[in-house]
Amino acid sequence: TIYTIENGLALVKSFPNLVANHEKSFRGLLKRFIYELNDFLDVEGNLIERLAIFEELQGDLENSFDNKTSDEGFWYDAAAFYGKIGEIHQSMGQVEEALKYFDDEVRLFKELYEANPRSESVKQSLAISYMKLGEMHQSIGNMEQAFSFFENDLELTNELYKANPQNESLKIGLATSYSKL
């Protein structure tokens, strides 16, 4: 058998259908796609291929929302999923599509944060999501919206920093937040 990019992409895109009805397998596959395969493919670019894989997963992911509303890990991965798609669209210059997915990412992280406001990782992820939305709005000239998102980012990042002022990455994050404003 001769393997081509198209054959490999078709094979990878078939995986979600194989496990969509098996929650544990689907969640494992979702994590692998979001955090490993996407990052691996990102090194080479592969925007179209990455987007095709995520689009294949999206329907199965959205069908899973109703069943797992109390599973924080699932919601976290779902939010990250939308952020990754937004980043791909942003890299392709598709600003409106990127904004749509970044909005979904913020919505899910915000729901997670409201359910668990003590979670530092959720708070930090929400802050980063606000920053991404601010940057997108800034790039298209929506300065009031950009400013609002940057303020939200600063508020959360400042809370994180005050809780752990010795953390160097939080200091850098706080400086970045001030810089954006």
Side-chain angles (χ1 to χ4, degrees):
T1 303
I2 298 176
Y3 294 100
T4 64
I5 291 173
E6 291 79 21
N7 290 348
L9 182 59
L11 177 65
V12 170
K13 284 173 55 179
S14 73
F15 292 162
N17 293 330
L18 298 173
V19 298
N21 294 324
H22 300 78
E23 178 184 337
K24 187 175 181 179
S25 297
F26 179 73
R27 290 207 43 213
L29 182 66
L30 181 66
K31 282 182 170 300
R32 294 279 190 291
F33 275 42
I34 295 171
Y35 303 112
E36 294 173 29
L37 181 60
N38 180 63
D39 291 348
F40 176 78
L41 292 173
D42 185 35
V43 172
E44 299 293 324
N46 299 306
L47 296 172
I48 294 169
E49 292 83 1
R50 290 167 51 212
L51 187 58
I53 292 168
F54 277 110
E55 287 173 344
E56 192 67 33
L57 275 171
Q58 188 171 355
D60 292 328
L61 174 71
E62 290 172 355
N63 290 336
S64 299
F65 281 151
D66 293 338
N67 304 354
K68 299 168 185 65
T69 54
S70 65
D71 185 341
E72 184 176 313
F74 175 79
W75 284 104
Y76 193 94
D77 292 341
F81 177 86
Y82 286 117
K84 298 287 185 177
I85 295 176
E87 290 168 7
I88 293 169
H89 282 291
Q90 182 181 18
S91 295
M92 295 173 81
Q94 300 167 343
V95 175
E96 292 303 318
E97 280 297 300
L99 279 172
K100 182 177 84 171
Y101 286 103
F102 288 146
D103 281 337
D104 287 338
E105 177 186 33
V106 163
R107 179 182 51 80
L108 292 176
F109 276 132
K110 197 172 184 180
E111 288 176 20
L112 264 176
Y113 176 66
E114 289 168 359
N116 188 3
R118 295 182 188 267
S119 173
E120 288 186 11
S121 65
V122 170
K123 188 182 287 190
Q124 189 164 24
S125 295
L126 179 58
I128 291 167
S129 297
Y130 280 138
M131 185 181 293
K132 282 192 244 178
L133 267 175
E135 289 170 345
M136 288 297 297
H137 282 285
Q138 182 182 28
S139 74
I140 58 175
N142 295 340
M143 301 313 280
E144 284 184 39
Q145 288 176 307
F147 186 76
S148 176
F149 286 119
F150 290 145
E151 283 183 319
N152 292 337
D153 164 49
L154 176 62
E155 180 182 334
L156 293 174
T157 304
N158 197 29
E159 287 175 19
L160 286 163
Y161 173 72
K162 284 181 179 179
N164 190 359
Q166 302 307 315
N167 185 316
E168 291 297 317
S169 68
L170 291 176
K171 285 180 187 178
I172 293 168
L174 187 58
T176 303
S177 296
Y178 279 118
S179 173
K180 295 292 179 182
L181 282 172

